[in-house]
Short mmCIF file of all heavy atoms in Angstrom, two decimals:
data_model
loop_
_atom_site.label_atom_id
_atom_site.label_comp_id
_atom_site.label_asym_id
_atom_site.label_seq_id
_atom_site.Cartn_x
_atom_site.Cartn_y
_atom_site.Cartn_z
N MET A 1 -55.17 -1.15 38.75
CA MET A 1 -55.92 -0.17 39.53
C MET A 1 -54.95 0.87 40.11
O MET A 1 -53.90 0.52 40.63
CB MET A 1 -56.67 -0.88 40.65
CG MET A 1 -57.53 0.01 41.45
SD MET A 1 -58.45 -1.07 42.59
CE MET A 1 -59.45 0.10 43.35
N ARG A 2 -55.29 2.11 40.00
CA ARG A 2 -54.44 3.20 40.46
C ARG A 2 -54.47 3.32 41.98
O ARG A 2 -55.53 3.30 42.59
CB ARG A 2 -54.92 4.50 39.83
CG ARG A 2 -53.91 5.59 39.91
CD ARG A 2 -54.40 6.78 39.15
NE ARG A 2 -54.41 7.89 40.08
CZ ARG A 2 -54.84 9.09 39.84
NH1 ARG A 2 -55.35 9.35 38.67
NH2 ARG A 2 -54.80 10.03 40.73
N GLN A 3 -53.29 3.45 42.57
CA GLN A 3 -53.18 3.63 44.02
C GLN A 3 -53.60 5.04 44.40
O GLN A 3 -53.30 6.00 43.68
CB GLN A 3 -51.72 3.42 44.47
CG GLN A 3 -51.26 2.00 44.37
CD GLN A 3 -51.83 1.16 45.50
OE1 GLN A 3 -52.43 1.65 46.43
NE2 GLN A 3 -51.66 -0.15 45.37
N PRO A 4 -54.26 5.19 45.55
CA PRO A 4 -54.59 6.55 46.00
C PRO A 4 -53.30 7.30 46.37
O PRO A 4 -52.32 6.68 46.79
CB PRO A 4 -55.47 6.33 47.22
CG PRO A 4 -55.29 4.91 47.60
CD PRO A 4 -54.77 4.17 46.41
N ASP A 5 -53.33 8.58 46.16
CA ASP A 5 -52.17 9.42 46.46
C ASP A 5 -52.00 9.56 47.96
O ASP A 5 -52.95 9.87 48.67
CB ASP A 5 -52.39 10.81 45.83
CG ASP A 5 -51.11 11.43 45.33
OD1 ASP A 5 -50.04 10.81 45.48
OD2 ASP A 5 -51.19 12.53 44.80
N ARG A 6 -50.79 9.34 48.45
CA ARG A 6 -50.52 9.54 49.87
C ARG A 6 -50.33 11.02 50.16
O ARG A 6 -49.90 11.79 49.30
CB ARG A 6 -49.22 8.83 50.27
CG ARG A 6 -49.34 7.37 50.37
CD ARG A 6 -48.06 6.69 50.79
NE ARG A 6 -47.01 7.60 51.20
CZ ARG A 6 -45.99 7.27 51.97
NH1 ARG A 6 -45.85 6.05 52.38
NH2 ARG A 6 -45.07 8.14 52.30
N ILE A 7 -50.64 11.40 51.38
CA ILE A 7 -50.39 12.77 51.84
C ILE A 7 -49.14 12.71 52.71
O ILE A 7 -49.04 11.89 53.63
CB ILE A 7 -51.58 13.31 52.67
CG1 ILE A 7 -52.87 13.26 51.86
CG2 ILE A 7 -51.28 14.72 53.18
CD1 ILE A 7 -52.86 14.08 50.59
N ILE A 8 -48.18 13.56 52.39
CA ILE A 8 -46.94 13.60 53.18
C ILE A 8 -46.83 14.94 53.88
O ILE A 8 -47.35 15.95 53.42
CB ILE A 8 -45.71 13.29 52.31
CG1 ILE A 8 -45.59 14.24 51.12
CG2 ILE A 8 -45.74 11.85 51.83
CD1 ILE A 8 -44.34 14.04 50.29
N ARG A 9 -46.15 14.93 55.01
CA ARG A 9 -46.04 16.12 55.86
C ARG A 9 -44.71 16.84 55.63
O ARG A 9 -43.85 16.39 54.88
CB ARG A 9 -46.19 15.71 57.32
CG ARG A 9 -47.50 14.98 57.65
CD ARG A 9 -48.73 15.85 57.48
NE ARG A 9 -48.76 16.96 58.37
CZ ARG A 9 -49.37 17.02 59.54
NH1 ARG A 9 -50.07 15.99 59.96
NH2 ARG A 9 -49.34 18.10 60.28
N MET A 10 -44.55 17.97 56.29
CA MET A 10 -43.40 18.87 56.08
C MET A 10 -42.05 18.17 56.21
O MET A 10 -41.18 18.36 55.36
CB MET A 10 -43.48 20.05 57.05
CG MET A 10 -42.29 20.98 56.98
SD MET A 10 -42.04 21.78 55.38
CE MET A 10 -43.19 23.11 55.50
N ASN A 11 -41.85 17.38 57.25
CA ASN A 11 -40.53 16.75 57.43
C ASN A 11 -40.18 15.84 56.26
O ASN A 11 -39.02 15.81 55.82
CB ASN A 11 -40.47 15.98 58.75
CG ASN A 11 -40.38 16.91 59.93
OD1 ASN A 11 -39.99 18.06 59.81
ND2 ASN A 11 -40.75 16.41 61.10
N THR A 12 -41.13 15.12 55.75
CA THR A 12 -40.89 14.25 54.60
C THR A 12 -40.60 15.08 53.35
O THR A 12 -39.69 14.75 52.58
CB THR A 12 -42.10 13.33 54.35
OG1 THR A 12 -42.39 12.62 55.55
CG2 THR A 12 -41.84 12.35 53.22
N VAL A 13 -41.35 16.16 53.16
CA VAL A 13 -41.11 17.05 52.02
C VAL A 13 -39.71 17.64 52.10
O VAL A 13 -38.97 17.67 51.11
CB VAL A 13 -42.18 18.16 51.94
CG1 VAL A 13 -41.84 19.19 50.88
CG2 VAL A 13 -43.55 17.55 51.67
N ARG A 14 -39.32 18.08 53.27
CA ARG A 14 -37.96 18.65 53.45
C ARG A 14 -36.89 17.61 53.15
O ARG A 14 -35.90 17.91 52.48
CB ARG A 14 -37.80 19.19 54.87
CG ARG A 14 -38.61 20.46 55.09
CD ARG A 14 -38.56 20.96 56.51
NE ARG A 14 -37.18 21.12 56.95
CZ ARG A 14 -36.77 20.92 58.20
NH1 ARG A 14 -37.62 20.55 59.13
NH2 ARG A 14 -35.52 21.09 58.52
N ASP A 15 -37.09 16.38 53.62
CA ASP A 15 -36.12 15.31 53.35
C ASP A 15 -36.01 15.01 51.87
O ASP A 15 -34.92 14.83 51.34
CB ASP A 15 -36.50 14.03 54.10
CG ASP A 15 -36.31 14.13 55.60
OD1 ASP A 15 -35.59 15.05 56.06
OD2 ASP A 15 -36.88 13.29 56.33
N ARG A 16 -37.14 14.95 51.17
CA ARG A 16 -37.13 14.60 49.74
C ARG A 16 -36.61 15.71 48.85
O ARG A 16 -36.03 15.44 47.81
CB ARG A 16 -38.53 14.21 49.29
CG ARG A 16 -38.96 12.89 49.86
CD ARG A 16 -40.12 12.35 49.10
NE ARG A 16 -40.59 11.13 49.72
CZ ARG A 16 -41.67 10.50 49.35
NH1 ARG A 16 -42.39 10.98 48.36
NH2 ARG A 16 -42.03 9.41 49.95
N THR A 17 -36.86 16.96 49.23
CA THR A 17 -36.47 18.07 48.36
C THR A 17 -35.13 18.69 48.73
O THR A 17 -34.49 19.31 47.89
CB THR A 17 -37.52 19.19 48.40
OG1 THR A 17 -37.59 19.72 49.73
CG2 THR A 17 -38.88 18.69 47.94
N GLY A 18 -34.75 18.57 49.99
CA GLY A 18 -33.53 19.22 50.44
C GLY A 18 -33.71 20.71 50.70
O GLY A 18 -32.74 21.44 50.91
N LEU A 19 -34.96 21.17 50.68
CA LEU A 19 -35.25 22.59 50.89
C LEU A 19 -35.58 22.84 52.36
O LEU A 19 -36.09 21.97 53.05
CB LEU A 19 -36.45 23.02 50.04
CG LEU A 19 -36.31 22.87 48.53
CD1 LEU A 19 -37.62 23.22 47.84
CD2 LEU A 19 -35.18 23.72 48.01
N SER A 20 -35.34 24.07 52.80
CA SER A 20 -35.72 24.46 54.16
C SER A 20 -37.20 24.81 54.18
O SER A 20 -37.82 25.05 53.15
CB SER A 20 -34.89 25.66 54.62
OG SER A 20 -35.27 26.81 53.89
N ARG A 21 -37.74 24.87 55.37
CA ARG A 21 -39.15 25.24 55.55
C ARG A 21 -39.44 26.60 54.93
O ARG A 21 -40.43 26.76 54.19
CB ARG A 21 -39.46 25.25 57.05
CG ARG A 21 -40.87 25.63 57.38
CD ARG A 21 -41.07 25.68 58.89
NE ARG A 21 -40.75 24.43 59.54
CZ ARG A 21 -41.64 23.46 59.81
NH1 ARG A 21 -42.90 23.64 59.50
NH2 ARG A 21 -41.26 22.35 60.38
N SER A 22 -38.59 27.57 55.20
CA SER A 22 -38.85 28.92 54.67
C SER A 22 -38.75 28.97 53.15
O SER A 22 -39.52 29.67 52.49
CB SER A 22 -37.89 29.94 55.30
OG SER A 22 -36.55 29.61 55.04
N THR A 23 -37.84 28.19 52.57
CA THR A 23 -37.73 28.15 51.11
C THR A 23 -38.96 27.51 50.49
O THR A 23 -39.46 27.97 49.47
CB THR A 23 -36.45 27.40 50.68
OG1 THR A 23 -35.31 28.07 51.23
CG2 THR A 23 -36.33 27.32 49.17
N ILE A 24 -39.47 26.46 51.12
CA ILE A 24 -40.68 25.81 50.62
C ILE A 24 -41.84 26.81 50.60
O ILE A 24 -42.53 26.95 49.58
CB ILE A 24 -41.04 24.57 51.48
CG1 ILE A 24 -40.02 23.46 51.22
CG2 ILE A 24 -42.47 24.09 51.18
CD1 ILE A 24 -40.10 22.28 52.18
N TYR A 25 -42.05 27.54 51.69
CA TYR A 25 -43.16 28.50 51.74
C TYR A 25 -42.94 29.66 50.75
O TYR A 25 -43.90 30.14 50.15
CB TYR A 25 -43.36 29.02 53.16
CG TYR A 25 -43.99 27.99 54.06
CD1 TYR A 25 -43.40 27.63 55.26
CD2 TYR A 25 -45.18 27.36 53.70
CE1 TYR A 25 -43.97 26.68 56.09
CE2 TYR A 25 -45.77 26.40 54.51
CZ TYR A 25 -45.16 26.07 55.70
OH TYR A 25 -45.74 25.12 56.50
N ARG A 26 -41.70 30.09 50.57
CA ARG A 26 -41.42 31.16 49.60
C ARG A 26 -41.74 30.68 48.18
O ARG A 26 -42.37 31.38 47.39
CB ARG A 26 -39.96 31.59 49.68
CG ARG A 26 -39.60 32.69 48.68
CD ARG A 26 -38.18 33.19 48.84
NE ARG A 26 -37.19 32.15 48.96
CZ ARG A 26 -36.66 31.48 47.94
NH1 ARG A 26 -37.05 31.72 46.70
NH2 ARG A 26 -35.73 30.55 48.15
N LYS A 27 -41.34 29.46 47.85
CA LYS A 27 -41.61 28.91 46.53
C LYS A 27 -43.11 28.70 46.30
O LYS A 27 -43.60 28.88 45.19
CB LYS A 27 -40.83 27.61 46.31
CG LYS A 27 -39.34 27.83 46.13
CD LYS A 27 -38.65 26.52 45.85
CE LYS A 27 -37.27 26.74 45.29
NZ LYS A 27 -37.27 27.40 43.99
N ILE A 28 -43.84 28.30 47.35
CA ILE A 28 -45.30 28.18 47.22
C ILE A 28 -45.89 29.54 46.86
O ILE A 28 -46.72 29.65 45.96
CB ILE A 28 -45.93 27.63 48.51
CG1 ILE A 28 -45.56 26.17 48.71
CG2 ILE A 28 -47.45 27.79 48.48
CD1 ILE A 28 -45.93 25.61 50.07
N ALA A 29 -45.45 30.59 47.55
CA ALA A 29 -45.95 31.95 47.29
C ALA A 29 -45.60 32.40 45.87
O ALA A 29 -46.39 33.12 45.24
CB ALA A 29 -45.38 32.92 48.31
N GLU A 30 -44.44 31.99 45.37
CA GLU A 30 -44.03 32.35 44.01
C GLU A 30 -44.74 31.52 42.94
O GLU A 30 -44.68 31.84 41.77
CB GLU A 30 -42.51 32.12 43.85
CG GLU A 30 -41.65 33.04 44.66
CD GLU A 30 -40.18 32.62 44.65
OE1 GLU A 30 -39.86 31.50 44.18
OE2 GLU A 30 -39.36 33.40 45.14
N GLY A 31 -45.37 30.41 43.35
CA GLY A 31 -46.03 29.54 42.40
C GLY A 31 -45.09 28.54 41.76
O GLY A 31 -45.41 27.97 40.71
N THR A 32 -43.92 28.28 42.38
CA THR A 32 -42.94 27.36 41.81
C THR A 32 -42.78 26.09 42.64
O THR A 32 -41.82 25.35 42.46
CB THR A 32 -41.57 28.05 41.67
OG1 THR A 32 -41.13 28.48 42.95
CG2 THR A 32 -41.65 29.22 40.71
N PHE A 33 -43.72 25.83 43.53
CA PHE A 33 -43.70 24.62 44.36
C PHE A 33 -45.15 24.23 44.64
O PHE A 33 -46.01 25.09 44.78
CB PHE A 33 -42.97 24.89 45.68
CG PHE A 33 -42.59 23.64 46.43
CD1 PHE A 33 -41.45 22.94 46.10
CD2 PHE A 33 -43.39 23.17 47.47
CE1 PHE A 33 -41.10 21.79 46.78
CE2 PHE A 33 -43.06 22.03 48.16
CZ PHE A 33 -41.90 21.33 47.82
N PRO A 34 -45.41 22.93 44.72
CA PRO A 34 -46.80 22.50 44.96
C PRO A 34 -47.36 23.06 46.27
O PRO A 34 -46.68 23.03 47.29
CB PRO A 34 -46.69 20.97 45.05
CG PRO A 34 -45.41 20.62 44.36
CD PRO A 34 -44.50 21.79 44.56
N PRO A 35 -48.58 23.56 46.25
CA PRO A 35 -49.18 24.09 47.49
C PRO A 35 -49.64 22.95 48.39
O PRO A 35 -49.86 21.82 47.95
CB PRO A 35 -50.38 24.88 46.98
CG PRO A 35 -50.73 24.23 45.69
CD PRO A 35 -49.43 23.74 45.09
N GLN A 36 -49.77 23.27 49.66
CA GLN A 36 -50.29 22.31 50.63
C GLN A 36 -51.78 22.10 50.42
O GLN A 36 -52.46 22.95 49.86
CB GLN A 36 -50.10 22.84 52.04
CG GLN A 36 -48.66 22.94 52.49
CD GLN A 36 -48.58 23.60 53.84
OE1 GLN A 36 -49.01 24.73 53.99
NE2 GLN A 36 -48.02 22.90 54.80
N ILE A 37 -52.26 20.97 50.93
CA ILE A 37 -53.69 20.74 50.98
C ILE A 37 -54.08 20.55 52.44
O ILE A 37 -53.31 20.02 53.23
CB ILE A 37 -54.11 19.52 50.13
CG1 ILE A 37 -53.40 18.26 50.57
CG2 ILE A 37 -53.89 19.78 48.66
CD1 ILE A 37 -53.92 17.01 49.94
N LYS A 38 -55.23 21.04 52.78
CA LYS A 38 -55.73 20.96 54.15
C LYS A 38 -56.19 19.53 54.44
O LYS A 38 -56.98 18.98 53.67
CB LYS A 38 -56.88 21.94 54.31
CG LYS A 38 -57.24 22.22 55.72
CD LYS A 38 -56.77 23.62 56.05
CE LYS A 38 -57.35 24.04 57.37
NZ LYS A 38 -56.36 24.48 58.28
N ILE A 39 -55.71 18.94 55.55
CA ILE A 39 -56.12 17.58 55.89
C ILE A 39 -56.89 17.53 57.20
O ILE A 39 -57.50 16.51 57.52
CB ILE A 39 -54.93 16.60 55.92
CG1 ILE A 39 -53.85 17.06 56.90
CG2 ILE A 39 -54.36 16.43 54.53
CD1 ILE A 39 -52.69 16.10 57.03
N SER A 40 -56.85 18.61 57.96
CA SER A 40 -57.64 18.72 59.19
C SER A 40 -57.69 20.19 59.56
O SER A 40 -57.15 21.04 58.85
CB SER A 40 -57.04 17.88 60.32
OG SER A 40 -55.82 18.42 60.75
N ILE A 41 -58.29 20.50 60.69
CA ILE A 41 -58.40 21.89 61.11
C ILE A 41 -57.02 22.53 61.25
O ILE A 41 -56.79 23.64 60.78
CB ILE A 41 -59.18 22.01 62.43
CG1 ILE A 41 -60.63 21.61 62.20
CG2 ILE A 41 -59.09 23.41 63.01
CD1 ILE A 41 -61.45 21.50 63.47
N ASN A 42 -56.09 21.82 61.87
CA ASN A 42 -54.75 22.38 62.10
C ASN A 42 -53.66 21.66 61.33
O ASN A 42 -52.48 21.88 61.59
CB ASN A 42 -54.41 22.32 63.59
CG ASN A 42 -55.31 23.19 64.42
OD1 ASN A 42 -55.59 24.33 64.04
ND2 ASN A 42 -55.80 22.67 65.52
N GLY A 43 -54.02 20.82 60.38
CA GLY A 43 -53.02 20.05 59.66
C GLY A 43 -53.08 20.25 58.17
O GLY A 43 -54.14 20.47 57.60
N ALA A 44 -51.92 20.14 57.56
CA ALA A 44 -51.83 20.25 56.10
C ALA A 44 -50.70 19.36 55.64
O ALA A 44 -49.81 18.99 56.40
CB ALA A 44 -51.59 21.69 55.68
N GLY A 45 -50.74 19.00 54.38
CA GLY A 45 -49.70 18.17 53.81
C GLY A 45 -49.67 18.36 52.30
O GLY A 45 -50.35 19.22 51.75
N TRP A 46 -48.88 17.54 51.65
CA TRP A 46 -48.74 17.60 50.20
C TRP A 46 -49.06 16.26 49.60
O TRP A 46 -48.82 15.22 50.20
CB TRP A 46 -47.29 17.95 49.82
CG TRP A 46 -46.91 19.35 50.03
CD1 TRP A 46 -46.91 20.35 49.10
CD2 TRP A 46 -46.44 19.96 51.24
NE1 TRP A 46 -46.48 21.53 49.66
CE2 TRP A 46 -46.18 21.31 50.98
CE3 TRP A 46 -46.22 19.49 52.53
CZ2 TRP A 46 -45.72 22.19 51.94
CZ3 TRP A 46 -45.76 20.37 53.49
CH2 TRP A 46 -45.52 21.70 53.19
N ARG A 47 -49.59 16.27 48.38
CA ARG A 47 -49.78 15.02 47.65
C ARG A 47 -48.39 14.51 47.27
O ARG A 47 -47.58 15.25 46.71
CB ARG A 47 -50.59 15.25 46.39
CG ARG A 47 -52.05 15.49 46.64
CD ARG A 47 -52.79 15.64 45.31
NE ARG A 47 -54.20 15.79 45.53
CZ ARG A 47 -54.80 16.97 45.67
NH1 ARG A 47 -54.11 18.08 45.57
NH2 ARG A 47 -56.10 17.02 45.89
N GLU A 48 -48.15 13.26 47.53
CA GLU A 48 -46.84 12.67 47.24
C GLU A 48 -46.51 12.78 45.76
O GLU A 48 -45.36 13.05 45.39
CB GLU A 48 -46.83 11.21 47.69
CG GLU A 48 -45.47 10.57 47.60
CD GLU A 48 -45.46 9.19 48.22
OE1 GLU A 48 -46.49 8.49 48.16
OE2 GLU A 48 -44.41 8.82 48.76
N SER A 49 -47.50 12.61 44.89
CA SER A 49 -47.25 12.68 43.45
C SER A 49 -46.79 14.08 43.03
O SER A 49 -45.95 14.22 42.14
CB SER A 49 -48.49 12.27 42.67
OG SER A 49 -49.56 13.14 42.94
N ASP A 50 -47.35 15.13 43.66
CA ASP A 50 -46.92 16.50 43.35
C ASP A 50 -45.44 16.70 43.71
O ASP A 50 -44.68 17.29 42.94
CB ASP A 50 -47.75 17.52 44.12
CG ASP A 50 -49.14 17.71 43.55
OD1 ASP A 50 -49.40 17.24 42.42
OD2 ASP A 50 -49.97 18.32 44.25
N ILE A 51 -45.05 16.20 44.87
CA ILE A 51 -43.66 16.36 45.30
C ILE A 51 -42.73 15.53 44.41
O ILE A 51 -41.67 16.00 44.01
CB ILE A 51 -43.50 15.97 46.79
CG1 ILE A 51 -44.37 16.88 47.67
CG2 ILE A 51 -42.04 16.04 47.21
CD1 ILE A 51 -44.14 18.37 47.50
N ASP A 52 -43.16 14.32 44.05
CA ASP A 52 -42.35 13.48 43.16
C ASP A 52 -42.13 14.16 41.82
O ASP A 52 -41.03 14.14 41.27
CB ASP A 52 -43.01 12.12 42.95
CG ASP A 52 -42.96 11.25 44.19
OD1 ASP A 52 -42.17 11.53 45.12
OD2 ASP A 52 -43.74 10.26 44.24
N ARG A 53 -43.20 14.77 41.25
CA ARG A 53 -43.06 15.49 39.98
C ARG A 53 -42.14 16.69 40.13
O ARG A 53 -41.35 16.98 39.24
CB ARG A 53 -44.43 15.94 39.46
CG ARG A 53 -45.18 14.86 38.74
CD ARG A 53 -46.31 15.37 37.86
NE ARG A 53 -46.93 16.59 38.30
CZ ARG A 53 -47.99 16.66 39.12
NH1 ARG A 53 -48.53 15.59 39.59
NH2 ARG A 53 -48.48 17.83 39.47
N TRP A 54 -42.24 17.40 41.25
CA TRP A 54 -41.38 18.57 41.46
C TRP A 54 -39.92 18.12 41.57
O TRP A 54 -39.05 18.74 40.97
CB TRP A 54 -41.79 19.33 42.72
CG TRP A 54 -41.03 20.60 42.87
CD1 TRP A 54 -41.38 21.82 42.37
CD2 TRP A 54 -39.77 20.78 43.52
NE1 TRP A 54 -40.41 22.75 42.68
CE2 TRP A 54 -39.41 22.14 43.39
CE3 TRP A 54 -38.91 19.94 44.20
CZ2 TRP A 54 -38.23 22.65 43.91
CZ3 TRP A 54 -37.73 20.45 44.72
CH2 TRP A 54 -37.40 21.79 44.58
N VAL A 55 -39.66 17.06 42.31
CA VAL A 55 -38.29 16.57 42.47
C VAL A 55 -37.72 16.12 41.12
O VAL A 55 -36.55 16.38 40.82
CB VAL A 55 -38.23 15.42 43.50
CG1 VAL A 55 -36.89 14.70 43.46
CG2 VAL A 55 -38.50 15.95 44.91
N ALA A 56 -38.54 15.49 40.30
CA ALA A 56 -38.09 15.01 38.99
C ALA A 56 -37.69 16.16 38.07
O ALA A 56 -36.74 16.03 37.29
CB ALA A 56 -39.17 14.17 38.33
N ASN A 57 -38.40 17.29 38.16
CA ASN A 57 -38.09 18.43 37.28
C ASN A 57 -38.60 19.73 37.91
O ASN A 57 -39.67 20.21 37.53
CB ASN A 57 -38.70 18.21 35.90
CG ASN A 57 -38.12 19.15 34.88
OD1 ASN A 57 -37.40 20.09 35.20
ND2 ASN A 57 -38.45 18.92 33.62
N PRO A 58 -37.85 20.30 38.85
CA PRO A 58 -38.34 21.49 39.54
C PRO A 58 -38.53 22.72 38.64
O PRO A 58 -39.41 23.54 38.88
CB PRO A 58 -37.28 21.77 40.60
CG PRO A 58 -36.15 20.87 40.33
CD PRO A 58 -36.58 19.84 39.36
N VAL A 59 -37.74 22.84 37.60
CA VAL A 59 -37.83 24.01 36.72
C VAL A 59 -39.11 23.99 35.91
O VAL A 59 -39.74 25.02 35.69
CB VAL A 59 -36.59 24.09 35.79
CG1 VAL A 59 -36.74 25.21 34.78
CG2 VAL A 59 -35.33 24.28 36.62
N ALA A 60 -39.54 22.81 35.48
CA ALA A 60 -40.71 22.70 34.63
C ALA A 60 -42.02 22.57 35.40
O ALA A 60 -43.09 22.60 34.80
CB ALA A 60 -40.57 21.50 33.70
N TRP A 61 -41.96 22.43 36.73
CA TRP A 61 -43.19 22.23 37.50
C TRP A 61 -44.06 23.48 37.44
O TRP A 61 -43.60 24.61 37.59
CB TRP A 61 -42.88 21.93 38.97
CG TRP A 61 -44.12 21.57 39.71
CD1 TRP A 61 -44.66 20.34 39.84
CD2 TRP A 61 -45.01 22.48 40.37
NE1 TRP A 61 -45.83 20.43 40.55
CE2 TRP A 61 -46.07 21.72 40.89
CE3 TRP A 61 -45.02 23.86 40.57
CZ2 TRP A 61 -47.12 22.28 41.60
CZ3 TRP A 61 -46.07 24.42 41.27
CH2 TRP A 61 -47.10 23.64 41.78
N ARG A 62 -45.34 23.25 37.20
CA ARG A 62 -46.34 24.32 37.20
C ARG A 62 -47.56 23.81 37.92
O ARG A 62 -47.87 22.62 37.85
CB ARG A 62 -46.73 24.74 35.78
CG ARG A 62 -45.62 25.44 35.04
CD ARG A 62 -45.31 26.80 35.65
NE ARG A 62 -44.16 27.42 35.09
CZ ARG A 62 -42.98 27.52 35.70
NH1 ARG A 62 -42.79 27.03 36.87
NH2 ARG A 62 -41.97 28.13 35.11
N PRO A 63 -48.31 24.69 38.59
CA PRO A 63 -49.52 24.24 39.28
C PRO A 63 -50.47 23.52 38.33
O PRO A 63 -50.71 23.97 37.22
CB PRO A 63 -50.16 25.55 39.77
CG PRO A 63 -49.04 26.52 39.82
CD PRO A 63 -48.10 26.11 38.73
N GLY A 64 -50.96 22.36 38.78
CA GLY A 64 -51.92 21.60 38.00
C GLY A 64 -51.31 20.74 36.90
O GLY A 64 -52.03 20.03 36.25
N SER A 65 -50.00 20.80 36.72
CA SER A 65 -49.40 19.98 35.66
C SER A 65 -49.50 18.51 36.04
O SER A 65 -49.29 18.13 37.18
CB SER A 65 -47.93 20.36 35.45
OG SER A 65 -47.18 20.17 36.62
N GLY A 66 -49.91 17.70 35.08
CA GLY A 66 -50.05 16.27 35.32
C GLY A 66 -51.38 15.87 35.92
O GLY A 66 -51.57 14.75 36.31
N ARG A 67 -52.32 16.78 35.99
CA ARG A 67 -53.64 16.47 36.55
C ARG A 67 -54.71 16.89 35.57
O ARG A 67 -54.47 17.61 34.61
CB ARG A 67 -53.85 17.28 37.82
CG ARG A 67 -52.99 16.83 38.93
CD ARG A 67 -53.79 17.14 40.16
NE ARG A 67 -53.03 16.77 41.31
CZ ARG A 67 -52.68 17.60 42.24
NH1 ARG A 67 -53.02 18.85 42.20
NH2 ARG A 67 -52.00 17.19 43.27
N GLY A 68 -55.94 16.50 35.91
CA GLY A 68 -57.08 16.93 35.11
C GLY A 68 -57.35 18.41 35.32
O GLY A 68 -56.71 19.08 36.13
N ARG A 69 -58.32 18.93 34.61
CA ARG A 69 -58.62 20.36 34.68
C ARG A 69 -59.05 20.81 36.06
O ARG A 69 -58.83 21.96 36.43
CB ARG A 69 -59.74 20.70 33.70
CG ARG A 69 -59.26 20.70 32.28
CD ARG A 69 -60.36 21.09 31.37
NE ARG A 69 -60.78 22.46 31.68
CZ ARG A 69 -61.67 23.13 30.99
NH1 ARG A 69 -62.22 22.59 29.96
NH2 ARG A 69 -62.00 24.34 31.34
N ASP A 70 -59.67 19.92 36.84
CA ASP A 70 -60.14 20.31 38.16
C ASP A 70 -59.04 20.23 39.21
O ASP A 70 -59.27 20.50 40.37
CB ASP A 70 -61.34 19.46 38.59
CG ASP A 70 -61.02 17.97 38.62
OD1 ASP A 70 -59.88 17.60 38.26
OD2 ASP A 70 -61.91 17.21 39.02
N GLY A 71 -57.81 19.82 38.82
CA GLY A 71 -56.70 19.76 39.76
C GLY A 71 -56.65 18.48 40.57
O GLY A 71 -55.87 18.36 41.48
N VAL A 72 -57.52 17.52 40.24
CA VAL A 72 -57.53 16.27 41.01
C VAL A 72 -57.02 15.14 40.16
O VAL A 72 -57.18 15.08 39.01
CB VAL A 72 -58.96 15.94 41.51
CG1 VAL A 72 -58.97 14.62 42.24
CG2 VAL A 72 -59.45 17.05 42.39
#
C-alpha cells in the first residue's frame, strides 16, 4: 500500500536542498522548482516526493513529472 505524501515546510526544504529562501522562490517563478501547495489560510508547504525528485535530479525536474495528468 502506498504511503500518503507528507507535506514539508520551508525550513525542511531549505535543509534538504541547500537553497536560500529567495533562491527557492526565484526558481519557483522560473518553473525549475516544485511549487508550494496551500495547506491552510496562511500556510503552505511542499510535497515531500516533489522535493525528493528535485534533489535527485534538479536539472531534469519539470512541473508534473512523475505524476498523473491531473498533477496528483
Side-chain angles (χ1 to χ4, degrees):
M1 183 174 184
R2 196 174 124 184
Q3 290 284 351
D5 215 359
R6 285 181 9 158
I7 303 299
I8 57 176
R9 303 295 296 265
M10 176 61 82
N11 286 339
T12 305
V13 173
R14 289 176 54 213
D15 289 344
R16 289 197 185 173
T17 63
L19 300 175
S20 69
R21 179 183 303 267
S22 59
T23 300
I24 289 169
Y25 287 126
R26 179 176 46 81
K27 288 183 164 296
I28 290 170
E30 293 170 349
T32 59
F33 195 82
Q36 293 174 301
I37 58 171
K38 196 107 169 127
I39 57 177
S40 69
I41 293 172
N42 295 316
W46 285 264
R47 286 183 176 92
E48 188 172 32
S49 61
D50 285 347
I51 300 305
D52 290 344
R53 278 198 331 270
W54 187 90
V55 168
N57 195 350
V59 174
W61 187 88
R62 291 292 172 254
S65 60
R67 290 210 182 121
R69 286 183 62 175
D70 59 357
V72 177

